[in-house]
Amino acid sequence: MASETMKIGFKVWLENNGKAFGDGPYELLRRVKKEMSLRRASRQMGMSYSRAWCLIQTLEQRLGFALIERKVGGQSGGGSQVTPKGINLMNHYAQFRRDVKKGLEKIYRKHFSLWK
Amino acid sequence: MASETMKIGFKVWLENNGKAFGDGPYELLRRVKKEMSLRRASRQMGMSYSRAWCLIQTLEQRLGFALIERKVGGQSGGGSQVTPKGINLMNHYAQFRRDVKKGLEKIYRKHFSLWK
């Protein structure tokens, strides 16, 4: 085996009748939090606003709580912010994701590091 | 969170300039081994023979060794069998895959079982 350059590849997500949260949604929320705008966040990720909005709706339904709240009006003309529960999920997910990476690399090494 | 029905979803594979082995190839080889035929194995999985053959070529290149050898002629009119190294990889991969499932479920529980 070309084991010098071989590595593990993976994708991981939360599931509840379909994907409920994962790396893509995490990144989208991270940008919403920073930009205070779903429109800017989705544009940065090369998604249409309507697609991002629809994605958020789907995730919220599968998670059972709201991820984003819209602020209507005000000096800045409104915008979006991540809900406290959404931020809490982001924090949990980030730690979970780090543990997954570490855990999978360990399991990979156990089975394949010495394999020829 | 609808945490009663929430669970972890994942995909895992070996990577070396692209996917080198994973659940799909494992299943294909398992059927080749049983059927002694790449043609029957690919048909069972709803793949065309040419697509399966091309997939095997790509995997072999990324792995650096042969997965299948063709037996030409003979009473049964030829067929395919998995190489000893291919069988060894299958065994390693099956154990690795079981550990991955167990490990990921443990990490998921650690981060999300008590989360509301």
Side-chain angles (χ1 to χ4, degrees):
Chain A
M1 184 153 82
S3 55
E4 321 75 43
T5 53
M6 191 71 69
K7 61 184 179 181
I8 185 173
F10 68 91
K11 281 193 180 178
V12 70
W13 60 90
L14 306 185
E15 187 157 309
N16 193 18
N17 297 316
K19 292 184 185 183
F21 206 73
D23 290 2
Y26 177 85
E27 184 58 24
L28 183 62
L29 287 195
R30 199 185 63 78
R31 288 173 191 267
V32 170
K33 190 159 168 273
K34 193 179 164 214
E35 301 290 335
M36 306 280 280
S37 159
L38 179 58
R39 197 172 292 277
R40 281 195 294 276
S42 53
R43 196 187 299 138
Q44 287 176 2
M45 292 183 69
M47 297 172 83
S48 68
Y49 176 73
S50 61
R51 197 173 147 224
W53 194 84
C54 183
L55 172 65
I56 296 287
Q57 298 293 309
T58 304
L59 300 177
E60 287 180 341
Q61 198 188 7
R62 289 173 184 166
L63 288 165
F65 60 86
L67 290 170
I68 282 181
E69 50 199 9
R70 300 183 70 174
K71 298 191 301 178
V72 181
Q75 261 195 326
S76 62
S80 295
Q81 62 185 18
V82 182
T83 61
K85 208 155 179 186
I87 290 174
N88 191 265
L89 173 61
M90 288 174 72
N91 292 338
H92 267 78
Y93 183 80
Q95 288 170 40
F96 161 76
R97 189 61 176 65
R98 273 194 293 273
D99 267 13
V100 162
K101 190 171 191 309
K102 242 189 294 180
L104 286 181
E105 280 167 359
K106 196 173 159 191
I107 294 168
Y108 173 77
R109 280 196 304 274
K110 176 185 159 193
H111 289 279
F112 288 108
S113 66
L114 294 174
W115 191 68
K116 299 241 175 266
Chain B
M1 183 151 87
S3 54
E4 321 75 43
T5 53
M6 190 74 67
K7 61 184 179 183
I8 187 172
F10 67 92
K11 282 194 179 177
V12 71
W13 60 89
L14 306 186
E15 188 157 309
N16 193 18
N17 297 317
K19 292 184 184 184
F21 205 72
D23 290 3
Y26 176 85
E27 184 58 26
L28 183 63
L29 286 194
R30 198 185 63 78
R31 288 173 191 266
V32 171
K33 190 161 168 272
K34 193 179 164 211
E35 302 290 336
M36 306 280 279
S37 158
L38 179 58
R39 197 173 291 278
R40 281 194 293 277
S42 53
R43 195 186 299 136
Q44 287 177 2
M45 292 183 70
M47 297 172 83
S48 69
Y49 175 73
S50 61
R51 198 173 147 225
W53 194 84
C54 184
L55 172 65
I56 295 287
Q57 298 294 307
T58 304
L59 300 177
E60 287 180 341
Q61 198 188 7
R62 289 175 183 165
L63 287 165
F65 60 85
L67 291 170
I68 283 182
E69 49 199 10
R70 300 183 70 174
K71 300 191 300 178
V72 180
Q75 261 194 327
S76 61
S80 295
Q81 61 185 20
V82 182
T83 61
K85 208 156 178 186
I87 290 175
N88 191 265
L89 173 61
M90 288 175 71
N91 293 338
H92 267 78
Y93 183 80
Q95 288 169 40
F96 161 76
R97 189 62 176 65
R98 273 193 292 275
D99 267 14
V100 163
K101 190 170 190 310
K102 243 190 292 180
L104 286 181
E105 280 167 359
K106 195 173 160 192
I107 294 168
Y108 174 77
R109 282 196 303 275
K110 177 184 158 193
H111 289 278
F112 287 108
S113 67
L114 294 174
W115 190 69
K116 298 240 176 269

